[in-house]
Amino acid sequence: MSKAILYLKMFIGGAVLCIGGPALIIYVTPTEEELFKRYNPELQKRSLENRQATQEGYEHFVGKLKEYSKSNKPIWEMAALDEARTRANVAEEQRKRAAELEKRREEIKRHSLIDDSVD
């Protein structure tokens, strides 16, 4: 009989810890609205201004994750490939801009030389 009481106590204690712990955390954790109300007015204003940008960034992140998950490769490998692709595109764009700038400089030099020879 004493073993049955011991097991019952252990079961009740485990249930209190497994159910009561998370319930206590949920009870004491403030909601987003409660936290927002505790901000000073300047932080509330800044938070409202940045809310749209933050939401768009999150949606972009989730969209990329969905795109990466369609592949058979792990998400971190797809993210690394996409990042490398993005870096290559940025580098190519910079090379194009540098070439265009160099063409403009050459054109300006030619025009200035032509103008000097006309005078």
Side-chain angles (χ1 to χ4, degrees), residues 25-80:
I25 295 296
I26 290 171
Y27 177 72
V28 298
T29 304
T31 62
E32 281 190 36
E33 294 83 26
E34 291 172 344
L35 285 175
F36 185 75
K37 288 177 184 176
R38 290 183 188 174
Y39 288 172
N40 66 28
E42 182 182 320
L43 283 176
Q44 286 181 355
K45 183 179 177 185
R46 200 174 341 152
S47 177
L48 288 174
E49 289 171 356
N50 294 335
R51 183 172 284 176
Q52 182 68 24
T54 304
Q55 185 66 27
E56 288 174 2
Y58 177 74
E59 288 174 3
H60 176 73
F61 173 72
V62 170
K64 284 290 190 181
L65 282 180
K66 286 180 181 179
E67 180 184 320
Y68 298 156
S69 67
K70 291 178 183 177
S71 173
N72 291 336
K73 294 182 180 181
I75 290 176
W76 56 89
E77 286 181 12
M78 291 301 297

Side-chain angles (χ1 to χ4, degrees), residues 60-110:
H60 176 73
F61 173 72
V62 170
K64 284 290 190 181
L65 282 180
K66 286 180 181 179
E67 180 184 320
Y68 298 156
S69 67
K70 291 178 183 177
S71 173
N72 291 336
K73 294 182 180 181
I75 290 176
W76 56 89
E77 286 181 12
M78 291 301 297
L81 289 173
D82 188 44
E83 186 177 322
R85 215 177 304 131
T86 303
R87 271 193 250 125
N89 289 343
V90 167
E92 183 63 30
E93 192 68 31
Q94 287 177 344
R95 279 188 288 250
K96 286 180 182 178
R97 286 184 196 156
E100 186 178 317
L101 183 62
E102 191 61 35
K103 284 181 184 178
R104 287 183 186 172
R105 286 182 182 164
E106 290 296 323
E107 189 176 318
I108 290 171
K109 281 183 183 179
R110 275 190 267 129

